[in-house]
Amino acid sequence: QLGSSVEKGGPLLSKPIHGPLIVTGNLSTDLFGRNSLTPVLQIQNEGLTVEAPRKSPWLAAGLSAVLPGAGEFYAESYWKAALFLAVDVAAWALAYSFDKKGDTQTEFFQNYADQHWSVIRYAVYADSTLAPSAQTYNWLIPNTDGRKPWERINWDELHRMERDIGSLPGGVGTYYSHTLPRRPEQQYYELIGKYHQYNQGWDDAPQRFVFGDPVTTRFLYYAAERGKANVYFSDATTFVTVALVNHVASAIDAAWTASSFNKSVHASMRIQNVPTRSGLAKVPVVRVEISF
């Protein structure tokens, strides 16, 4: 502060100065824009401060959890945004494709079974060859000629016969271990191509079958075709899992990317109006911030 008086005509200015001497940083104003060292008024900012906004890691994570890559895009990491989005689109597309293949294959092997496997044929063989002779099983519904085989079956009686055969001592009971679910349950189509118990329902079955004998050609073909459908559905499930993992990974990465964005160098600029005797001096002020 300059607090002393100076004589007129002396080497310094003629008026006393009280208070802080403010230097604007503008050489023209500081050296030539004043005719006295009169204290200046409060420095004022002008206009809008231009500054890069910070990113919210929580918002970034939420965006990517819904749509992979969205949080990275918000955090201005565009290449990673494109990568996560591409993985998501590809995974869901492949999941849908394999699921449709599974549906088509399922329709194929079920039609094949309906054409070549008969529950009537299976029941006739079991009743005439394996069932206890002392028992009578009314598994065939009377007056149902002309209907589909599965529509002619008294399923409760069929299951009773299967359980009785399975409880017999010796070799027969070792492979009659299941009761056939009603068509069109999924287990119906699975069991007839999985357990040798149902071999005699195929239209190329031999007259006699003992556990351990080779199953029919149709049994083996059907089992392979049903297996293809299972593989397609398994692949679809795998790609759904990939898509869900991609959502989680993208959310985590988006939060990290947003945090990294905030820990970079940020610059802002504003204009200050500095009043002087000769008018307002516009002084640019630049702020550089480094976060760690």
Side-chain angles (χ1 to χ4, degrees), residues 19-35:
L21 177 63
I22 298 176
V23 179
T24 68
N26 186 312
L27 294 179
S28 175
T29 299
D30 293 337
L31 298 180
F32 307 107
R34 302 170 185 240
N35 54 20

Side-chain angles (χ1 to χ4, degrees), residues 56-97:
S56 168
W58 289 106
L59 177 58
L63 290 171
S64 280
V66 176
L67 178 64
E72 283 78 7
F73 188 89
Y74 161 74
E76 301 183 21
S77 182
Y78 302 116
W79 282 108
K80 287 200 292 183
L83 177 62
F84 278 110
L85 181 60
V87 170
D88 191 62
V89 171
W92 285 114
L94 288 169
Y96 176 80
S97 175

Side-chain angles (χ1 to χ4, degrees), residues 112 116-117 190-205 209 214-226:
Y112 184 87
H116 298 287
W117 193 90
E190 180 177 345
L191 266 58
I192 63 176
K194 184 176 182 179
Y195 294 104
H196 293 187
Q197 168 183 344
Y198 300 103
N199 184 74
Q200 296 306 107
W202 293 100
D203 55 15
D204 62 340
F209 180 79
V215 293
T216 71
T217 301
R218 293 201 188 280
F219 185 108
L220 294 175
Y221 175 78
Y222 174 80
E225 293 303 306
R226 189 178 62 83

Side-chain angles (χ1 to χ4, degrees), residues 90-276:
W92 285 114
L94 288 169
Y96 176 80
S97 175
F98 280 113
D99 188 68
K100 294 299 292 182
K101 287 182 178 181
D103 288 341
T104 301
Q105 186 66 18
T106 297
E107 183 179 3
F108 170 76
F109 77 69
Q110 288 182 349
N111 288 336
Y112 184 87
D114 290 344
Q115 294 173 13
H116 298 287
W117 193 90
S118 170
V119 63
I120 297 291
R121 190 182 300 115
Y122 161 74
V124 166
Y125 180 82
D127 195 3
S128 62
T129 307
L130 304 173
S133 58
Q135 294 289 332
T136 300
Y137 302 96
N138 299 313
W139 51 263
L140 183 64
I141 300 174
N143 303 318
T144 56
D145 294 346
R147 295 185 185 180
K148 300 292 184 181
W150 53 86
E151 296 175 347
R152 304 181 63 195
I153 291 292
N154 181 327
W155 292 90
D156 291 335
E157 282 290 286
L158 176 66
H159 293 163
R160 184 170 70 88
M161 181 173 66
E162 289 173 316
R163 287 191 295 268
D164 287 348
I165 295 173
S167 64
L168 291 174
V172 174
T174 61
Y175 75 95
Y176 255 72
S177 55
H178 291 77
T179 57
L180 183 66
R182 299 169 185 259
R183 185 193 178 280
E185 293 181 18
Q186 185 270 338
Q187 285 291 304
Y188 170 93
Y189 287 104
E190 180 177 345
L191 266 58
I192 63 176
K194 184 176 182 179
Y195 294 104
H196 293 187
Q197 168 183 344
Y198 300 103
N199 184 74
Q200 296 306 107
W202 293 100
D203 55 15
D204 62 340
Q207 292 183 351
R208 297 287 298 178
F209 180 79
V210 178
F211 184 65
D213 289 350
V215 293
T216 71
T217 301
R218 293 201 188 280
F219 185 108
L220 294 175
Y221 175 78
Y222 174 80
E225 293 303 306
R226 189 178 62 83
K228 289 180 183 179
N230 290 340
V231 170
Y232 288 143
F233 287 129
S234 178
D235 290 343
T237 300
T238 297
F239 283 108
V240 168
T241 302
V242 169
L244 295 178
V245 170
N246 186 55
H247 278 247
V248 175
S250 180
I252 295 173
D253 178 78
W256 180 84
T257 301
S259 297
S260 298
F261 179 91
N262 294 336
K263 292 179 181 179
S264 59
V265 177
H266 292 276
S268 64
M269 185 184 72
R270 64 180 183 272
I271 300 297
Q272 285 185 338
N273 288 328
V274 181
T276 68

